[in-house]
Amino acid sequence: MSATLIDLPEAWSDEGRKFRTPQDWLVAVLRAFQSDEVPERVLPVLRQLRHPLWSPQAPKGFSDTMQEWADPDSLLNRAELSRTLAERAPRIDPRQLLDVVDTAADDPLRRLLADTSIAADERVALALASPAFQWR
Amino acid sequence: MNRRSFMRQMCLGGIATFALPSVTFAEVRHRGRLVFVLLRGGFDGLAAVVPYGDPTYRQLRGGFAFEESELVHLTDVFGLAPGLAPLGELWDANELVVLHAMAIPYRTRSHFDGQAILETGLDRPVGSSDGWLNRLLQVMSGTRSGIAIAAGLPRSLAGSFEAQTWSPTQLGVVDDAYLERLAALYRRDQALHGRFEAAMQQKDLVGEEPMAGGGARRGGMTPIMRAAARILRTETGPNIAAVEFSGWDTHAVQGLAGGALDRLLGQLAEGLMAFRADMGAAWSTTTVVVMTEFGRTARANGTRGTDHGTAGAGFVIGPSVTRSRVFSDWPGLSDRNLFENRDLRPTLDTRSILKAAIAGTFDLTPAQADRVFPGSAGVRGSYELMG
């Protein structure tokens, strides 16, 4: 049954996608960097993204909706943060990130990641802040 | 459709009733601006708008009372705390309504419930999770929009009408080329592109953030209020803004003139006056409402502060108010007049003020104002405040 579910076209359509909460997004960033551990400095980052670890507002808890997390200011916040994270990241080939960012064949991000006239760390940042990377 | 069937639809509250105005005025953009400033934590109304003329005030607050000479006298009974002195200019310009003995319609001393009620506009902490500012956007017709000057969307703006957000940058300046490349990527994402565009627009409007640098961007209310003015004053700017400041929960060492609370009030007054100046010509159609979830205990506590109370103070500011006045059915401060022998007794419902503020700013009928606050038909709007 699992195989059938995976093969279902609905499982891969846009309707089934979910906007990454800040914590989801940050974990995805660490995985993209192939980090083995979670550095302690992610804690202030999570606070800054209004998603402090284990500290939801009682009694409501954290929302997991796009309405809550994808407001304009938060998107810009992720864009700015991606820049900082990419600067401090281990040196990786930006093109490797295509393995972890789910892009359509005609997504201009593919071209950007291969464009060596753009600094490597900026290309990494573009991948992390790209709309494609905000969904799971 | 003949006249009879048209009337019939009107009477039935059919689609025609609502469709006609929105079709006719679809391109009309509201010129009114409403800024709802929420002071989270419950600011001490008795220390902000001081009832120095109440015969019991001095005895009640003891060593915790202001000297009459320190206050900005408004009436024989009320004076503004020294920190709020800049608001005296608004008072002289007939742009300041001072509210007192005002409270939300539900008795709670919980920040969580109090803020929920103030932000949803309901009379109990459960029910709709929509905010009243969002309901207001739904009730208004024509082209209109709302923005939260806050990290994330506050509950007051949450709801089916999509609102924007802006807050100060927390990191370094990001270069334009990077943001333009990102914007191009976002244009292909149907769900997100409008949001990213809005963020870019707001960033352009605010420009170099006021008082940016030196790590001071997060501190102080003035930079936030000035950024809000830059976003709101444009022709196509948002009509409704939710602004919030925290730090008002003064359980300890609240202080008097120049003390902790007075300094916060000073920041608030400075921020409000900077906002008014920066709005320029757009100020003429702008109304600012300042409220908090509850007032504080009438007497000081053992740690030179005050605890969660009931009624408190607030402000309605702008050229649309009829005239400057202290608007209060003052209950007095004697022991028997206090609510549960501890708090200022509430005699004014926040919704009565909010109804007047929105009706006066956006030309709404009382019936429309009632729809913004479900279950409030019995609460008459204080419409005489706005003229």
Side-chain angles (χ1 to χ4, degrees):
Chain A
M1 190 178 89
S2 303
T4 313
L5 281 174
I6 289 169
D7 286 339
L8 263 183
E10 284 84 353
W12 300 96
S13 74
D14 275 1
E15 287 81 64
R17 65 186 188 165
K18 195 148 179 72
F19 189 80
R20 280 179 169 152
T21 66
Q23 193 176 318
D24 271 356
W25 177 75
L26 204 57
V27 169
V29 170
L30 292 173
R31 291 177 66 183
F33 289 166
Q34 293 173 351
S35 284
D36 295 330
E37 52 184 30
V38 178
E40 220 167 274
R41 63 167 189 267
V42 304
L43 295 176
V45 173
L46 282 171
R47 270 199 299 279
Q48 185 187 322
L49 293 171
R50 302 186 287 116
H51 206 179
L53 191 68
W54 310 130
S55 313
Q57 195 187 20
K60 193 174 145 209
F62 287 124
S63 162
D64 71 343
T65 63
M66 171 177 161
Q67 176 84 358
E68 170 73 21
W69 299 113
D71 61 290
D73 188 55
S74 295
L75 292 181
L76 201 58
N77 222 332
R78 287 190 191 191
E80 292 170 347
L81 201 53
S82 298
R83 207 62 213 272
T84 313
L85 292 169
E87 276 166 18
R88 296 182 192 163
R91 295 220 158 273
I92 46 172
D93 184 340
R95 277 165 297 193
Q96 280 179 9
L97 291 173
L98 279 176
D99 298 340
V100 291
V101 186
D102 186 19
T103 49
D106 63 339
D107 192 316
L109 180 63
R110 288 170 174 263
R111 186 179 44 76
L112 283 175
L113 290 184
D115 184 346
T116 50
S117 72
I118 306 171
D121 60 346
E122 180 177 339
R123 281 181 281 156
V124 171
L126 284 167
L128 306 181
S130 68
F133 199 67
Q134 310 311 310
W135 300 96
R136 65 180 166 96
Chain B
M1 182 189 293
N2 62 24
R3 187 168 171 272
R4 179 179 294 171
S5 68
F6 176 75
M7 290 306 287
R8 206 177 129 78
Q9 285 218 15
M10 291 274 284
C11 292
L12 292 173
I15 295 162
T17 328
F18 299 107
L20 280 177
S22 63
V23 168
T24 319
F25 301 116
E27 293 309 312
V28 175
R29 199 172 173 92
H30 280 275
R31 297 201 51 227
R33 301 280 188 272
L34 179 80
V35 182
F36 180 61
V37 180
L38 174 53
L39 304 183
R40 293 189 191 273
F43 83 89
D44 184 4
L46 291 172
V49 181
V50 181
Y52 72 91
D54 184 294
T56 343
Y57 167 68
R58 194 150 294 278
Q59 176 207 330
L60 185 79
R61 286 244 156 162
F64 207 53
F66 282 92
E67 294 301 325
E68 203 177 314
S69 59
E70 294 170 326
L71 305 171
V72 181
H73 289 220
L74 302 178
T75 67
D76 292 342
V77 178
F78 298 102
L80 295 176
L84 291 176
L87 302 187
E89 194 183 329
L90 296 173
W91 181 264
D92 294 339
N94 264 326
E95 294 186 3
L96 177 63
V97 173
V98 176
L99 310 156
H100 222 322
M102 174 177 70
I104 52 169
Y106 179 88
R107 299 298 148 244
T108 174
R109 295 185 182 98
S110 141
H111 294 296
F112 192 84
D113 286 347
Q115 290 176 19
I117 287 159
L118 191 52
E119 295 192 78
T120 57
L122 304 180
D123 57 4
R124 60 184 74 96
V126 290
S128 165
S129 58
D130 281 11
W132 69 267
L133 290 174
N134 198 287
R135 238 177 274 119
L136 170 60
L137 284 162
Q138 295 170 42
V139 165
M140 287 165 64
S141 56
T143 311
R144 71 277 191 194
S145 57
I147 188 167
I149 307 293
L153 204 62
R155 194 154 182 195
S156 58
L157 258 175
S160 59
F161 196 102
E162 193 171 297
Q164 312 299 342
T165 49
W166 179 89
S167 75
T169 354
Q170 301 174 60
L171 300 154
V173 178
V174 193
D175 57 298
D176 290 344
Y178 166 70
L179 286 178
E180 275 161 30
R181 288 185 180 115
L182 264 185
L185 297 177
Y186 271 93
R187 257 169 239 135
R188 294 167 51 92
D189 190 307
Q190 275 205 340
L192 297 180
H193 94 269
R195 295 157 189 255
F196 197 80
E197 284 296 310
M200 296 284 279
Q201 267 176 27
Q202 287 145 21
K203 195 177 161 63
D204 281 351
L205 281 176
V206 175
E208 193 178 325
E209 287 177 19
M211 284 169 67
R217 272 169 289 183
R218 280 261 147 195
M221 302 178 210
T222 301
I224 308 271
M225 291 306 292
R226 298 193 67 183
R230 290 184 191 184
I231 294 169
L232 290 169
R233 70 188 172 193
T234 57
E235 193 77 10
T236 54
N239 308 90
I240 288 169
V243 184
E244 55 186 33
F245 298 113
S246 48
W248 302 90
D249 196 15
T250 50
H251 286 286
V253 206
Q254 180 173 311
L256 283 165
L261 176 60
D262 198 42
R263 286 200 302 275
L264 271 179
L265 291 169
Q267 280 192 32
L268 174 68
E270 185 191 288
L272 290 169
M273 295 309 284
F275 175 79
R276 177 184 185 238
D278 284 7
M279 282 299 278
W283 176 250
S284 66
T285 51
T286 301
T287 307
V288 179
V289 178
V290 181
M291 285 187 176
T292 194
E293 69 262 31
F294 48 61
R296 308 190 70 83
T297 47
R299 304 178 189 93
N301 64 18
T303 52
R304 289 182 290 145
T306 47
D307 296 323
H308 302 180
T310 307
F315 305 97
V316 179
I317 299 166
S320 306
V321 307
T322 318
R323 61 180 170 83
S324 284
R325 66 174 111 182
V326 177
F327 190 73
S328 175
D329 178 6
W330 187 244
L333 292 172
S334 64
D335 287 353
R336 67 184 170 83
N337 286 332
L338 291 179
F339 178 68
E340 296 178 353
N341 189 30
R342 69 195 284 284
D343 304 336
L344 178 61
R345 180 176 297 281
T347 56
L348 176 62
D349 189 324
T350 43
R351 295 171 300 172
S352 167
I353 300 302
L354 295 174
K355 283 183 183 181
I358 62 175
T361 307
F362 299 117
D363 284 330
L364 302 183
T365 62
Q368 285 175 307
D370 286 350
R371 279 167 57 200
V372 176
F373 301 95
S376 74
V379 181
R380 199 191 67 87
S382 302
Y383 296 110
E384 65 273 27
L385 290 179
M386 308 289 288

